Amino acid sequence: MNPRTAGALILAALAGGVAFGPLGAAPDKVPANLCEIDEQPVFACKAGRSLASICVGREHATYRYGLPGSPSLAVTSTADWSNVHLGGVVGQGGGHQTHVRFTTGLIHYTVYAGLNGRLTDDPGRSYAGIDVSQGKGGETAIAAIPCDAGFWTSADWTERLRAAAPLRFRDALDETTDGPFDAWF
C-alpha cells in the first residue's frame, strides 16, 4: 500500500473527524488557525505563542506560521504545485506519520502528524510538528518545532490537500519513494 493511501486510511480510522493531543477540539470545532475566510483548514497547531496552519482554497494550498492575526510566513502552492509534496510512513506496531512539505527555494517546511505504535516507549501517543530544513535534500536542519499545545487535523488532511490541486498535478504530489523526505520527522 502506498504511503498516501496508508496515511489517509489510518488517520480516517483513528479519527473520524479529528482532534488529537491535549487540544481536544470536537471534530466540528476547528481551533484557532491562520486560514483566510475563503480557505478551509486541514491542519492547525499551537507552538509556543505562534500558530501553524495548512489551509486549502480553490486550487491552492498555503502553509502559514506566526502570531494569531499576523502570520510571519506564508508559503502558497505554485501554479503547478511543484513546491508541495505529500508523504507518509508506517512502522512496526501500528505507528504511522503523514506529512505535507512546502518548499520555497531551498527551504523546506515539513508539517507532520503521527501516532506512536505498540512497540514504542509511549504507545498511542499522537504528535505533530514542523521540521524546517535547507538544501536540495533538506540536509541542513534549521528548526524542529513541536506542536506543544495539541494539534488538529481533518481526518483526511493530506487527501483534502491533494483534492485542492488541479487534477493534472495530483499524482506528482507524492514524495519520491526512498528519497530524502520519505522519512520520519
Side-chain angles (χ1 to χ4, degrees):
M1 179 180 316
N2 71 38
R4 143 179 120 192
T5 304
L9 289 174
I10 292 168
L11 279 176
L14 284 172
V18 149
F20 287 108
L23 190 60
D28 59 343
K29 184 173 192 287
V30 179
N33 62 74
L34 298 170
C35 297
E36 301 289 332
I37 193 78
D38 61 339
E39 298 173 326
Q40 294 293 315
V42 294
F43 177 94
C45 94
K46 186 163 174 38
R49 292 181 33 209
S50 296
L51 298 175
S53 302
I54 296 179
C55 313
V56 295
R58 186 175 174 88
E59 295 195 346
H60 78 273
T62 302
Y63 163 67
R64 292 188 184 92
Y65 183 85
L67 296 176
S70 62
S72 56
L73 174 70
V75 181
T76 299
S77 53
T78 56
D80 65 359
W81 282 65
S82 61
N83 70 325
V84 178
H85 304 278
L86 308 176
V89 290
V90 177
Q92 296 178 355
H96 68 273
Q97 186 184 89
T98 54
H99 75 263
V100 177
R101 178 171 55 96
F102 287 83
T103 300
T104 180
L106 292 176
I107 306 293
H108 308 276
Y109 301 92
T110 305
V111 179
Y112 60 88
L115 182 75
N116 284 345
R118 297 184 304 279
L119 304 177
T120 66
D121 290 337
D122 195 4
R125 182 182 75 84
S126 58
Y127 60 90
I130 302 98
D131 183 78
V132 185
S133 60
Q134 183 175 4
K136 186 176 178 185
E139 52 275 353
T140 304
I142 295 174
I145 306 165
C147 293
D148 58 9
F151 67 98
W152 175 90
T153 68
S154 64
D156 54 353
W157 70 295
T158 57
E159 291 308 305
R160 284 189 58 203
L161 189 138
R162 183 186 305 278
L167 187 60
R168 66 188 176 278
F169 301 127
R170 290 180 188 167
D171 288 339
L173 295 176
D174 293 323
E175 292 284 10
T176 302
T177 302
D178 296 326
F181 298 98
D182 185 18
W184 295 90
F185 293 93

